Amino acid sequence: MKLVYLDNAASTKISSGVLEKMMESYSENYGNPSSTHKLGQKARAAIETARSMIAGYIGVESKEIIFTSGGAEGNNLAIRGALNAYSSKGKHIITSKIEHSTVLKTCQQLENEGYEVTYIDVDENGVINLEQLKNSIRKDTVIVSIMYANNETGVKQPIEEIGQILENTDIIFHTDAVQAMCKEKIFPKDLKIGAMTVTAHKFYGPKGAGFVYLDKKFQVEKEIWGGSQERNRRAGTENLQGILGLGTAMEEAYENMDKIEAMEEEIHEYLERRLKNEIEDIKINGEKSPRLKTITNLCLKGCDIQTLLIALDLRGICVSGGSACMSGAHEDSHVLKEMGLNSEELKSSFRISIGKDTTIEEIDYFVENLKEIAKIERGI
Ligand SMILES: *Cc1c(COP(=O)(O)O)cnc(C)c1O
């Protein structure tokens, strides 16, 4: 059966080069990186090579990279770890209303634990209110966490401006860069980002591997206790193969970035042009904002998304009704709700996310099927 995968924002297929690198390590380089013998040293060397390569791509120092199990752990470590390290400064956090659940739920839990959180609004285009952010800063604000690009709409946030606002303060500027990493070059130092979360499985690496960049002028209290790995910021035997996979995935993305970006941009434009030209009564959520060229959040008025997703799935098309973390619950998207969509529009919106391997033929197959299904659902 035909399979068209248009859910790359949820996860990507591991690249063959990454898989090869990992397999080789599983069979030949399997020591514990903390062991002092030959195999231990070999594992340690491989990890440190990956670390310095990754640091090089984003223009930071090796010691500023903390390997984690991915985005959820990274966001928890950056936010909770910072709050614990700077508990004497205060208990105030600033974030936005459209963050990924790994930030939002963490903040909600922190409120239960006695922290205070200010949630910044977004406008109808999905961009946060910078004035409100500026006015929310307090003496006891420890961390500001605003995502680089949204996982449901692809809308990019004004990261440079936030960095400038926070530049001469002692507040940590954290960004969840999970969706944007490897889609464009990100230099956290230039953007005055103090902490940044990344996960490999969003750019053709393995699941369960990622890193936090943490500016060396900041500290985090570890969330996972035990050994003194990762400069005493994350205990546990390093996920050697995951880290090598992450490094290779970044290498592949950075070596081919211009080419992939151009291809994705072409496919993305083609997709949105066909949708707008050939289907009536549609809206692309966040269209007016700067967006990643891989995500289209489509509102198909008069269509119920749950039915639509099933119909597409039966035709071998994988898309998503928002973020993967929410899709099981059939909840309305908090992101689109904050952008002011009404309840009917919320029930009619879903996410298409292309990847480096998406072809024009696949987009054609998707659009043709979507047109048919929309006709049936709209009863025309
Ligand atoms: C996928 C995602 C995460 C979670 O990353 P995991 O590695 O799956 O835990 C966090 N933030 C954003 C924006 C994401 O898209």
Side-chain angles (χ1 to χ4, degrees), residues 9 179 183 264 268 291-296 352-355:
Q179 288 293 336
K183 307 258 166 40
E264 286 178 341
H268 192 246
R291 278 184 299 151
L292 297 177
K293 297 283 182 260
T294 45
I295 297 179
T296 298
I352 306 144
S353 48
I354 63 165

Side-chain angles (χ1 to χ4, degrees), residues 166-325:
L166 298 174
E167 187 176 0
N168 295 314
T169 69
D170 54 1
I171 299 167
I172 302 173
F173 174 25
H174 167 250
T175 189
D176 173 349
V178 163
Q179 288 293 336
M181 180 49 66
C182 290
K183 307 258 166 40
E184 58 186 74
K185 294 201 169 84
I186 300 176
F187 296 108
K189 302 269 181 202
D190 292 349
L191 298 167
K192 320 292 178 202
I193 294 166
M196 180 170 82
T197 303
V198 172
T199 188
H201 76 100
K202 302 289 170 84
F203 49 85
Y204 316 98
K207 291 166 184 62
F211 69 86
V212 167
Y213 152 73
L214 181 72
D215 190 309
K216 64 183 175 202
K217 69 179 185 231
F218 295 122
Q219 278 144 34
V220 286
E221 179 74 88
K222 65 171 102 167
E223 286 282 295
I224 299 173
W225 289 75
S228 56
Q229 289 91 347
E230 297 302 301
R231 292 176 171 259
N232 211 15
R233 294 169 295 189
R234 200 261 189 189
T237 301
E238 295 87 342
N239 176 6
L240 170 60
Q241 287 78 22
I243 290 166
L244 298 187
L246 161 66
T248 307
M250 272 191 80
E251 189 178 7
E252 289 181 355
Y254 273 75
E255 296 308 315
N256 303 297
M257 196 174 280
D258 293 343
K259 206 176 79 203
I260 293 171
E261 213 180 323
M263 264 163 33
E264 286 178 341
E265 191 163 343
E266 190 192 322
I267 301 262
H268 192 246
E269 267 172 25
Y270 178 77
L271 165 68
E272 296 196 350
R273 191 170 355 112
R274 278 207 70 179
L275 291 171
K276 285 195 272 194
N277 288 344
E278 297 173 43
I279 309 184
E280 277 175 34
D281 261 345
I282 66 156
K283 188 173 91 178
I284 293 167
N285 297 313
E287 187 179 9
K288 293 205 185 90
S289 302
R291 278 184 299 151
L292 297 177
K293 297 283 182 260
T294 45
I295 297 179
T296 298
N297 195 299
L298 186 69
C299 178
L300 209 56
K301 289 175 194 153
C303 291
D304 174 66
I305 282 322
Q306 292 310 329
T307 323
L308 184 103
L309 292 186
I310 294 166
L312 286 169
D313 191 36
L314 287 172
R315 296 167 190 231
I317 298 165
C318 307
V319 292
S320 162
S323 91
C325 314

Side-chain angles (χ1 to χ4, degrees), residues 355-372:
K356 70 180 172 66
D357 300 317
T358 307
T359 62
I360 293 282
E361 289 71 32
E362 287 178 319
I363 297 298
D364 287 337
Y365 180 76
F366 165 69
V367 174
E368 291 306 328
N369 279 285
L370 187 68
K371 278 161 69 176
E372 277 181 34

